[in-house]
Amino acid sequence: MSFSVNCSKPELHTQIFAGLDAHFRLSCRAAPALAMPRRAVHTVPMPHVITSPCIGVKDQACTEVCPVECIYEGGEQFFIHPDECIDCGACVPACPVSAIFPEEDVPDGEQDFIVKNSAHFGL
Ligand code: SF4
Ligand code: SF4
């Protein structure tokens, strides 16, 4: 079972999670800051995600190997457009600081970058 939540009232999340025993997909920029019993996952599929090690490096090595040019500069870091990424994985070994992961492999402590990537594109 899959359940989607687009919520502007993060204070309600605890109640929602307590009342449902299902697989959750949560769309909320406040989610990483909440103490939730389950992993927060954005409703938009994120084939690959750029995480915090990119900040301060931004050498663009990933952009040079991406076959569809879906990696964009975004202030302090680069971001992958979730609708344009074809999930080829070419950017992963190209990154000198190992900042890029498939969504399902994003490390603990870097989960907020899943939402940060999609939010950058307004998704
Ligand atoms: S996985 Fe492939 S398509 Fe997606 S950002 Fe990386 S190089 Fe580009
Ligand atoms: S290769 Fe890594 S550090 Fe360089 S811009 Fe891409 S994600 Fe950032």
Side-chain angles (χ1 to χ4, degrees), residues 47-48 62 65-71 80-81 84-92 100:
H48 279 72
C62 53
V65 301
C66 179
V68 294
E69 299 182 348
C70 69
I71 305 174
I80 295 172
H81 197 301
E84 299 175 5
C85 175
I86 60 172
D87 209 15
C88 71
C91 56
V92 174
I100 308 174

Side-chain angles (χ1 to χ4, degrees), residues 50 53-54 57-62 78 94-97 99-100:
I50 297 179
C54 179
V57 180
K58 294 180 61 181
D59 69 336
Q60 303 188 55
C62 53
F78 276 75
C95 180
V97 291
I100 308 174

